[in-house]
Amino acid sequence: MNKLSFNPIQEVLDDGLEIPEVGEWGIEKYKCLGYYAEIFTKSMSKKWNNLVYIDLFASSGYCKIKKTNRIIKSGALISLSVTIPFKRYIFCEEDENLLNSLQQRVKRDYPNVDAHFISGDCNLKILDIINLIPKYSSNNTVLSFAFIDPFRLNINFRTVQMLCAYRMDILMLIATGMAATRNAKRYQNPTNETIAKFLDDNNWRSSYQGEADLNDQSFTQFLAATYKANLEKLGYTKASDFHAVRYRQNNMNVLLYHLAFFSKDKLGNTFWDIVRTQYSGEQTSMF
């Protein structure tokens, strides 16, 4: 594949709308998203009638990098900036101020795209999201790409499972370092349902303890391995290694999160391997 000329990290000016702050480590996530979306649409646009982009935590389309105050496009607007756009965009965001800002930016900068906006928690609005995916037929083929970018482990597995019923590639942030490690003890409280919903397993504590005792497995390793196994059961049988995003702090490489990619087609995994080896930062992988 020829070297991509597309640059997903696009600096913008403050337009007076909502702009959330993110750490500079978010840049790698946006690089991976943008480069994959660029390869995806360029390669698939002539093979499928409908390419659909789905963003479950769409935010406002802009973000400000902490410390530098640099403003760049974030996931939703990166997906709209690719050389060959998707045929339909579905954006879900729980924060109304962020969603309103995204709507205004899309209307202003991309007035001709087929974009749909859903206000609310994606776990509660998943049927509304799915109903916006064009109906598949032999004369109207549909391939989707879902970006799932939660700040916490607040994406229910059943939500992802419903998306997996469709022909869909998935790029997902799993907050293994940012949330999982920091809150491991709190999650293990019997009244806490976070991991039970994340894995759709009310008995996960017993499974984790067994793995920890048998294989000396950390909580982060348990979450990543279990999630990968769960997606493989849904037809994503050759899931790529999770991509670890780390940040150097106090002379230590601190794990922040993993980017998990899932495709039901080996070509999708090939594209992802190109992205993470040629276009992302130099990071180590896990599982």
Side-chain angles (χ1 to χ4, degrees):
M1 178 175 289
N2 295 330
K3 190 76 173 178
L4 297 176
S5 59
F6 174 71
N7 181 10
I9 306 304
Q10 301 177 25
E11 196 159 347
V12 292
L13 298 175
D14 191 335
D15 59 3
L17 300 173
E18 289 284 329
I19 304 176
E21 284 192 335
V22 301
E24 61 183 294
W25 47 83
I27 291 175
E28 184 171 352
K29 168 182 64 181
Y30 293 135
K31 279 184 180 179
C32 290
L33 166 67
Y35 284 126
Y36 188 80
E38 175 76 357
I39 295 173
F40 182 93
T41 55
K42 275 190 171 182
S43 301
M44 298 292 118
S45 61
K46 293 182 180 180
K47 299 177 181 179
W48 298 79
N49 300 117
N50 297 276
L51 296 182
V52 181
Y53 179 83
I54 302 169
D55 196 328
L56 299 189
F57 297 85
S59 191
S60 71
Y62 281 13
C63 65
K64 181 182 290 186
I65 306 301
K66 292 178 181 177
K67 297 182 180 180
T68 67
N69 288 328
R70 182 185 178 201
I71 301 172
I72 62 173
K73 291 182 179 181
S74 59
L77 290 194
I78 290 172
S79 72
L80 285 155
S81 302
V82 293
T83 306
I84 299 175
F86 291 82
K87 191 163 186 179
R88 174 167 291 186
Y89 291 84
I90 304 170
F91 300 114
C92 183
E93 172 55 50
E94 188 172 10
D95 186 311
E96 289 188 7
N97 290 330
L98 295 179
L99 186 65
N100 287 337
S101 293
L102 176 61
Q103 285 183 281
Q104 291 182 63
R105 287 175 175 132
V106 173
K107 184 177 180 180
R108 179 192 68 205
D109 298 338
Y110 304 92
N112 298 318
V113 301
D114 180 15
H116 300 259
F117 303 87
I118 297 176
S119 177
D121 181 341
C122 64
N123 295 300
L124 302 177
K125 296 288 186 175
I126 187 60
L127 287 178
D128 294 338
I129 294 166
I130 285 173
N131 286 336
L132 287 169
I133 300 173
K135 303 303 180 186
Y136 185 98
S137 72
S138 57
N139 297 319
N140 190 49
T141 55
V142 183
L143 179 64
S144 300
F145 172 42
F147 181 48
I148 306 174
D149 184 24
F151 285 106
R152 305 180 305 279
L153 296 173
N154 57 330
I155 176 71
N156 296 348
F157 186 76
R158 291 187 182 183
T159 301
V160 178
Q161 185 177 30
M162 293 178 73
L163 290 175
C164 291
Y166 297 81
R167 188 69 176 266
M168 187 170 308
D169 289 357
I170 297 172
L171 178 60
M172 177 178 176
L173 183 147
I174 300 182
T176 39
M178 296 185 300
T181 303
R182 196 160 48 215
N183 297 301
K185 289 185 179 179
R186 182 166 64 86
Y187 291 153
Q188 292 184 60
N189 186 312
T191 62
N192 190 295
E193 298 181 336
T194 301
I195 304 302
K197 291 180 178 179
F198 181 70
L199 298 177
D200 193 27
D201 182 4
N202 291 326
N203 298 314
W204 71 269
R205 293 174 182 85
S206 297
S207 299
Y208 166 59
Q209 192 57 55
E211 289 294 333
D213 292 342
L214 183 63
N215 299 315
D216 193 26
Q217 194 175 57
S218 72
F219 186 56
T220 294
Q221 290 172 322
F222 168 76
L223 283 183
T226 302
Y227 210 90
K228 183 177 178 180
N230 286 350
L231 264 291
E232 288 175 348
K233 292 175 184 176
L234 297 178
Y236 294 84
T237 53
K238 294 183 179 179
S240 296
D241 289 348
F242 287 5
H243 181 67
V245 176
R246 301 179 184 274
Y247 181 66
R248 192 155 188 84
Q249 187 175 41
N250 298 326
N251 295 319
M252 295 179 62
N253 283 321
V254 180
L255 173 67
L256 294 169
Y257 57 83
H258 280 94
L259 288 174
F261 177 80
F262 304 99
S263 179
K264 293 179 180 178
D265 193 301
K266 62 181 181 181
L267 189 57
N269 288 307
T270 298
F271 291 163
W272 175 243
D273 286 338
I274 291 171
V275 168
R276 67 189 186 122
T277 57
Q278 297 185 25
Y279 294 102
S280 71
E282 292 295 327
Q283 306 294 337
T284 58
S285 294
M286 187 177 191
F287 304 104

